[in-house]
Amino acid sequence: MKASKTYLLPATILGLLGLTAWMPAQAGGYDEQQIRFPLTRQPLLNEGCLPKASGTVKVRSIGNAEIMDVRVAGLSPNTEYDLFIIQVPNPPFGMSWYQGDLQTKRNGVGHARFIGRFNKETFIVAPGSTVAPQVHDSDADENPQTGPIHTYHVGIWFNSPEDAVKAGCQGITTPFNGEHNAGIQVLNTATFPDEEGPLLELEP
């Protein structure tokens, strides 16, 4: 027993020292960077459609990824919206990547958090064309080949045309949700140029 105790103590101390040396690298051992930018009302909306719609986005680096916090106000209460990372802010939008949903409260205010790559290196690429799964009737059966395309803009859509009509907006159907039957776009980052969306400002 004495021999085992003699070796246990140094091993325990070394283990704790190793843990101490490891923790800073995992908890803040990087230069935190962050950006903030506005979301503005889609100008193609009807005059009476969500006239006070607005939002803000904060993106901060956590080293190997980014955290994006999206806050909106002036939207329809208790309503679901869909958020995409897009090539350009207005139609035809270009390459678009579904991030997730945002649910408003009864006062039309909402918040959602997404974790991914939201910086200068955010892009979509297809080295070649190949088969694609057709989960819905409107799905393509293969992808188009394309070189790297950076996607630096953010857009938010009604989850359904019915919700849009209730808010006094156009009842058009768009593919911007998981079932490809979303409503019209509500907010975007059109205050930035098409080729210089806000995510371009965050270094990886």
Side-chain angles (χ1 to χ4, degrees), residues 72-78 104-110:
V72 297
L75 301 187
S76 299
N78 302 316
T104 56
K105 300 179 181 179
R106 61 183 180 179
N107 58 357
V109 171

Side-chain angles (χ1 to χ4, degrees), residues 31 45 48 55 64 78 85 108 130 139 166 180 187 195 202:
D31 295 328
L45 294 176
N64 61 346
N78 302 316
I85 302 300
T130 188
D139 290 340
K166 289 179 183 178
H180 317 319
L187 296 167
E195 297 181 37
L202 187 64

